[in-house]
Amino acid sequence: MYDILVKNGIIVTADAVSEGNIAIKDGKIAAVLAAGIEPEASKVIDAKGNYVFPGAIDTHAHLNDPGYEWREDYEHGTAAAAVGGYTTVIDMPLQNEPAMTNADLFDRKVEKVDSNAYSDYCFWGGLVPDNLEDLKGMHDKGCVAFKSFIGPVSPDYSSLNYGQAYEAMQRIREFGGRAGFHCEDFSMIKWQEARMKKEGRLDWQGFLDSRPVIAEMVATVDMIEIAKATGCKVHICHVSSPDVAQKIKEAQQEGYDITAETCSHYLSLTDRDVIENGPMFKCAPPLRSQDEVDRLWTYVEDGTFSGIASDHSPCSYDEKFKEILGSKIENVFDVWGGISGIQSGFQVAFNEGCVKRGVSPAVLANSMAKLPARAFGIYGRKGDIKPGFDADLVIVDPQKEWEITSDSLLYVNKISAFVGMKGKGQPVCTLIRGNVVAEDGKITAEKGVGELIRRLS
């Protein structure tokens, strides 16, 4: 007898959308069955004709734990992820105190966060100028990739120059890891920021002009060229521009293992939101034009992106409007940059893609589950609805209308650029390894149900 039978669902994978049932045993998918075949099970979940997706993987989130828990922590952040349909969260090493840059800190972080996790989680390892000797140790612990910045970064972390990036990629290539980069050219952005300030352009258009697409393009192309020279696998984080995505696609077509992600906000919000509404919409890279948003969806559909991430980058209300760590916000350049979106990312992508643009649900299963699992070495456990995989499932009601409100958010700080957005299609039930963790916007499991997922390959 099976533990759980999920019946009457429309099963969505990267390869097909079809009616069927799913049998679960010991937290794993035991069988994928044709519609009407209903073996005995201890618990039956009726999907009621709704979509059943593989659990989404958030390839890029800042949960701020340990060290900056007034912004976010594992209890609230992973609860929000589970309610929103992200069953596995790949957590970043910065906005941690200390930043996770060696194997000992890996262990300390697991000890701190594990008992508070509702979703499963993986770790990005830190990649900074002075920890190149520590990368192999973190890889051996199970880090799925290593995160670095080619552009400016918050004070708790350090950017790499191109020479350091070259050596890092040589080292990471030796043990088969993947290097990940925030690609905006450091010198371009610093010059543009200084130029805007000198010219007195301290408004939101000045901010947008300080981080042009060319800064993202230059850094991305250069990291791709270094990857080609070293043979290192590379992941380009939070791509905002379809023109940048095209360069990544061309490298993929040439046979190089270059993966990339975009984010739900780059697929739904625009530069007009920044100009009209300011602080809540500040992020880096910045939001782009409506035309660029529309064209970016092409690269979701064709499989260029291995992830529609949240880049969940939370902060307090004061850090958007008053002060950051005791420093008063004087102008747009001082405002905290980041959008909180881990609870909203899946429903926003579904509404913008499947509802508004007629994108097949299979495209989301591919870009939010299968391809991320492959890119980060966890496919086989995560990323698909197949026997032997973890029973990570998200039941989505495609007709359910929603409005994102502050009260509905489970974050430490109930603020987000997505507050006020309306749409259709929402997760109504989330299973993680066969555990029903969330239903109808509420957590239904005990804290600590989430597990650390180490890289498989």
Side-chain angles (χ1 to χ4, degrees):
M1 186 168 71
Y2 295 112
D3 297 330
I4 300 173
L5 179 69
V6 179
K7 70 174 187 176
N8 298 329
I10 300 175
I11 299 172
V12 181
T13 68
D15 305 309
V17 180
S18 59
E19 294 181 358
N21 300 330
I22 301 167
I24 298 168
K25 181 76 172 178
D26 297 328
K28 299 283 187 180
I29 295 170
V32 181
L33 308 163
I37 299 177
E38 299 183 11
E40 189 175 356
S42 300
K43 178 182 176 73
V44 176
I45 297 173
D46 189 347
K48 301 178 182 178
N50 291 321
Y51 290 131
V52 183
F53 280 84
I57 298 169
D58 189 351
T59 57
H60 190 137
H62 299 270
L63 295 183
N64 286 264
D65 194 350
Y68 294 84
E69 292 93 341
W70 76 86
R71 291 176 179 154
E72 195 63 278
D73 59 26
Y74 259 65
E75 178 178 352
H76 292 82
T78 60
V83 163
Y86 284 122
T87 56
T88 303
V89 176
I90 309 184
D91 187 24
M92 284 290 171
L94 65 155
Q95 277 107 52
N96 281 195
E97 185 55 50
M100 200 194 81
T101 53
N102 62 50
D104 289 341
L105 293 173
F106 182 108
D107 291 336
R108 284 167 55 184
K109 184 168 179 174
V110 174
E111 183 178 0
K112 170 67 165 60
V113 306
D114 190 68
S115 62
N116 292 321
Y118 286 101
S119 71
D120 285 352
Y121 62 95
C122 308
F123 289 154
W124 281 87
L127 172 52
V128 292
D130 60 358
N131 84 324
L132 302 189
E133 300 284 349
D134 296 307
L135 299 175
K136 177 67 161 56
M138 287 188 288
H139 178 80
D140 292 343
K141 285 285 184 181
C143 279
V144 297
F146 300 91
K147 174 64 183 300
S148 184
F149 282 71
I150 300 303
V153 66
S154 54
D156 66 300
Y157 214 62
S158 301
S159 302
L160 296 188
N161 62 37
Y162 286 6
Q164 292 160 343
Y166 178 63
E167 181 180 350
M169 283 197 239
Q170 287 180 314
R171 290 174 178 266
I172 292 168
R173 166 68 179 85
E174 290 176 3
F175 55 74
R178 186 178 296 277
F181 294 97
H182 177 133
C183 285
E184 289 182 287
D185 184 81
F186 188 98
S187 62
M188 245 181 218
I189 289 169
K190 285 298 187 183
W191 182 266
Q192 283 296 101
E193 283 184 0
R195 178 185 172 192
M196 295 299 115
K197 291 175 181 177
K198 181 179 179 181
E199 294 176 1
R201 296 186 56 199
L202 303 179
D203 59 1
W204 286 107
Q205 187 62 58
F207 165 71
L208 293 171
D209 290 347
S210 76
R211 302 186 92 109
V213 168
I214 189 59
E216 186 178 352
M217 178 70 77
V218 166
T220 300
V221 169
D222 287 348
M223 290 308 102
I224 289 172
E225 290 303 316
I226 297 173
K228 291 178 179 180
T230 59
C232 185
K233 295 183 289 187
V234 160
H235 185 79
I236 308 299
C237 295
H238 45 51
V239 175
S240 72
S241 163
D243 299 325
V244 172
Q246 177 62 28
K247 295 296 184 181
I248 294 164
K249 179 179 179 178
E250 290 168 5
Q252 293 170 347
Q253 291 174 330
E254 291 171 15
Y256 294 98
D257 194 341
I258 311 292
T259 58
E261 73 201 17
T262 189
C263 301
S264 49
H265 43 279
Y266 297 126
L267 295 168
S268 60
L269 305 174
T270 74
D271 53 1
R272 298 306 309 170
D273 292 304
V274 181
I275 291 169
E276 293 170 10
N277 300 297
M280 287 296 183
F281 294 82
K282 182 182 178 182
C283 59
L287 300 175
R288 306 297 186 188
S289 69
Q290 184 65 59
D291 173 69
E292 287 165 301
V293 170
D294 294 336
R295 289 192 292 122
L296 198 60
W297 273 100
T298 301
Y299 297 91
V300 176
E301 292 188 79
D302 70 13
T304 298
F305 291 125
S306 297
I308 299 177
S310 71
D311 192 7
H312 185 64
S313 187
C315 66
S316 68
Y317 178 88
D318 284 355
E319 288 175 308
K320 282 290 190 183
F321 293 95
K322 295 181 180 179
E323 65 177 26
I324 300 176
L325 299 176
S327 297
K328 185 179 178 182
I329 293 172
E330 302 283 357
N331 57 63
V332 297
F333 295 100
D334 298 336
V335 172
W336 176 266
I339 290 175
S340 296
I342 203 168
Q343 186 170 327
S344 310
F346 186 96
Q347 71 195 71
V348 169
F350 186 92
N351 182 63
E352 290 289 330
C354 302
V355 177
K356 289 185 177 182
R357 294 173 171 83
V359 172
S360 169
V363 168
L364 294 192
N366 194 43
S367 60
M368 300 188 79
K370 185 175 184 178
L371 292 181
R374 287 193 182 282
F376 291 96
I378 57 175
Y379 189 76
R381 281 200 68 177
K382 307 295 186 182
D384 218 333
I385 300 177
K386 290 182 176 181
F389 280 65
D390 285 355
D392 297 350
L393 304 172
V394 181
I395 300 175
V396 176
D397 181 347
Q399 300 304 319
K400 186 176 178 65
E401 295 185 351
W402 47 262
E403 178 179 358
I404 297 170
T405 65
S406 296
D407 289 344
S408 68
L409 299 176
L410 301 186
Y411 311 144
V412 169
N413 298 281
K414 296 177 182 297
I415 58 175
S416 173
F418 292 115
V419 168
M421 182 180 283
K422 297 178 181 180
K424 189 166 71 170
Q426 188 168 26
V428 294
C429 182
T430 303
L431 288 81
I432 300 176
R433 287 172 287 102
N435 299 289
V436 180
V437 177
E439 287 186 279
D440 297 320
K442 294 180 172 58
I443 289 292
T444 56
E446 295 295 318
K447 188 169 61 173
V449 67
E451 290 184 358
L452 170 69
I453 305 299
R454 301 177 195 266
R455 190 196 66 264
L456 300 175
S457 60

